[in-house]
Amino acid sequence: PKVMRFATAGAFDMSKATDLLTDAQSALGMSMRDAQQDAANMLRLSDALVKANTLANASVEQFSIALTSKAGSAFKAYNIKLEEGMALLAAYADQGIKAELAGNAADRLIRLLTQSVAQNAQEFKKLNIQVFEAGEFRRFSDIMRDMEKALSGMTTEQKAAALTALGFEARMQSIILPLLGTSDALARYSKELQDATGFTEDVANTQMKSFSNQMKVLWNRIKSIGTSIGEILAPYVLKFSDALASVIRFW
């Protein structure tokens, strides 16, 4: 039933829905031996994928592909919550970075931040950019807000130099620059994704209602056509009936 609702909400067939949902769940490390926990994780993932589709300019399928294209494994490896990771993918989607590109960008961003902080701790401290808290990644919205404040007022040349000093080489800045200015969106996406429980079912029900309405319209049209045909054929049927009655009386 969970996969069926996911298929309805995402507007694809059961086979594709199964592949997208189970592959993404495996990539995130959310597949469990315990059947109840596995089902709960599947539902949570389904809600996040469908909700992300309504928040940002990318399809449910594109978000699923992003998770299986390195993003999911990076979220698992660095203990990043599903909703935080999906918020990051949604922010990338708003910048036109979707599907495999978004998955690769998220993976590179996470690994680059980890490496850069380790190698350039003083520069991060100097610019008051905090990536980790209690040994874990902070929210991406908080990290990007720190970076936005640090780079505010700088010229393009100064920003490039600051990013290089932080450990983001020129060829790697393409995964950071699209996120500058998205801190508010990241925070909003994260909050809405955390409140997405039951969203798949809501969307699926809406889709079914829409389908039901369309079927009603179709049925009404069929009845209307039937009535029109009946009006055209009625005189001939009546004549045939009168002729048949005459034959019966004759015999």
Side-chain angles (χ1 to χ4, degrees):
K2 293 176 179 61
V3 179
M4 186 179 298
R5 286 193 289 269
F6 178 67
T8 303
F12 28 66
D13 61 45
M14 283 288 289
S15 177
K16 176 174 284 189
T18 302
D19 288 343
L20 292 174
L21 198 53
T22 56
D23 287 353
Q25 187 174 358
S26 296
L28 287 160
M30 295 175 66
S31 298
M32 301 292 174
R33 290 183 179 274
D34 181 87
Q36 288 187 335
Q37 185 60 54
D38 187 70
N41 286 349
M42 178 178 286
L43 184 57
R44 179 186 170 195
L45 174 58
S46 174
D47 287 338
L49 287 168
V50 176
K51 183 67 176 181
N53 167 233
T54 67
L55 294 174
N57 186 26
S59 67
V60 174
E61 184 174 359
Q62 287 173 321
F63 279 115
S64 298
I65 292 172
L67 289 175
T68 56
S69 300
K70 296 185 179 181
S73 59
F75 298 158
K76 177 179 67 174
Y78 290 91
N79 200 29
I80 294 170
K81 292 182 178 180
L82 169 64
E83 292 76 14
E84 275 298 303
M86 291 300 299
L88 175 63
L89 294 176
Y92 271 128
D94 284 341
Q95 305 303 312
I97 303 171
K98 311 174 186 180
E100 292 94 342
L101 291 176
N104 290 328
D107 173 66
R108 293 168 66 193
L109 173 70
I110 292 166
R111 297 180 189 281
L112 182 59
L113 282 171
T114 304
Q115 178 181 324
S116 297
V117 170
Q119 295 178 350
N120 305 279
Q122 290 302 316
E123 287 296 329
F124 275 85
K125 187 175 182 179
K126 176 183 175 182
L127 292 174
N128 200 27
I129 300 173
Q130 185 180 352
V131 175
F132 293 101
E133 187 173 34
E136 301 292 345
F137 264 95
R138 298 175 70 208
R139 293 176 181 270
F140 288 114
S141 58
D142 294 333
I143 297 172
M144 295 315 302
R145 187 168 287 111
D146 283 354
M147 294 195 72
E148 289 164 5
K149 288 179 180 178
L151 300 175
S152 177
M154 292 186 181
T155 64
T156 301
E157 184 179 6
Q158 289 172 331
K159 286 181 181 178
L163 289 172
T164 300
L166 289 169
F168 303 123
E169 298 176 7
R171 63 187 181 85
M172 300 299 291
Q173 291 179 14
S174 60
I175 63 174
I176 290 285
L177 293 176
L179 296 176
L180 293 177
T182 67
S183 59
D184 289 342
L186 281 164
R188 185 174 72 255
Y189 292 163
S190 178
K191 184 180 184 304
E192 294 199 36
L193 284 161
Q194 289 172 24
D195 296 333
T197 303
F199 195 75
T200 301
E201 186 171 5
D202 291 342
V203 173
N205 288 339
T206 300
Q207 297 280 46
M208 288 302 292
K209 287 178 182 178
S210 177
F211 177 75
S212 176
N213 289 335
Q214 291 300 318
M215 289 301 292
K216 286 180 181 178
V217 171
L218 177 60
W219 178 240
N220 288 335
R221 287 178 178 174
I222 290 173
K223 289 194 294 183
S224 177
I225 292 172
T227 300
S228 299
I229 292 173
E231 290 174 352
I232 295 171
L233 295 179
Y236 299 99
V237 172
L238 183 59
K239 287 181 180 180
F240 177 78
S241 177
D242 291 340
L244 183 59
S246 297
V247 171
I248 292 174
R249 285 197 298 270
F250 176 79
W251 286 103

